[in-house]
Amino acid sequence: MHRLILMRHAKAGPAAAGRGDRDRPLSDEGRADAVAVGRALAARDLRPDHALVSDARRTRETWEGLSESFGDVELSLEASAYDAPAERLRSLVEDREDAAGCLIVLAHNPGVHQLAVDYLIEGAASPGVIDRLTAGFPPGAAAVFGVDVAGRRTFEGLLLPDELSR
């Protein structure tokens, strides 16, 4: 793997009556944000060849919006990524790192946010970068990391839906 994208699902609405958290759909704003982030990633030539996506409705719908910009991508819907802690997400990344050139992990806070911060600290990112990411990881945020031959992650950027033009 030469690149890793860690992303939180886009903005979700409430669950329908009688449905649980796993069934929450994206809001209209979330659908638009997912498409915008997909376009921004593709414009930066950040097209994953493998997507590891939580099986929750809001992450699947985020992937649908993103993937419009990517073409063919191998998709793995992963039940254990739903509301997973950083350690579980790290394990899922490690399980797939030899099979993907560019892997996107689409999951939930706080796990995906914590994993991004962990990679920043391990990669000796600057205090300013760490502070920026520690301050929050809003819906639709995507942290991009380069991965060297030794498996070290280097922060390359953060995409936030509110900062993208539609």
Side-chain angles (χ1 to χ4, degrees):
M1 174 174 64
H2 65 273
R3 185 154 286 120
L4 173 65
I5 303 166
L6 297 177
M7 185 171 175
R8 181 180 177 192
H9 63 79
K11 291 179 185 169
R19 306 296 286 199
D21 181 68
R22 201 177 208 119
D23 294 316
R24 289 174 46 212
L26 289 184
S27 65
D28 290 341
E29 182 179 2
R31 279 188 276 285
D33 286 349
V35 171
V37 172
R39 288 180 182 153
L41 288 167
R44 291 162 175 81
D45 203 26
L46 298 169
R47 290 181 173 89
D49 50 26
H50 191 101
L52 189 151
V53 178
S54 160
D55 69 348
R57 180 175 176 184
R58 61 191 175 275
T59 48
R60 288 182 286 120
E61 289 181 357
T62 300
W63 175 248
E64 289 169 10
L66 287 171
S67 65
E68 293 176 9
S69 298
F70 298 146
D72 290 332
V73 177
E74 183 179 346
L75 173 63
S76 297
L77 290 177
E78 184 63 52
S80 69
Y82 172 73
D83 221 13
E87 298 79 24
R88 176 64 186 142
L89 294 175
R90 181 188 294 265
S91 176
L92 291 169
V93 168
E94 290 170 355
D95 289 346
R96 287 164 178 82
E97 63 189 356
D98 292 335
C102 180
L103 173 66
I104 187 169
V105 176
L106 183 49
H108 310 266
N109 271 4
V112 72
H113 180 208
Q114 185 60 54
L115 184 57
V117 171
D118 290 349
Y119 283 150
L120 287 176
I121 293 167
E122 292 164 17
S126 73
V129 169
I130 293 171
D131 287 347
R132 181 173 186 218
L133 201 64
T134 301
F137 203 71
V144 180
F145 295 87
V147 182
D148 70 15
V149 294
R152 291 180 297 252
R153 276 93 172 140
T154 304
F155 182 70
E156 293 184 349
L158 179 66
L159 293 167
L160 301 172
D162 290 346
E163 295 178 0
L164 301 174
S165 59
R166 303 238 182 332

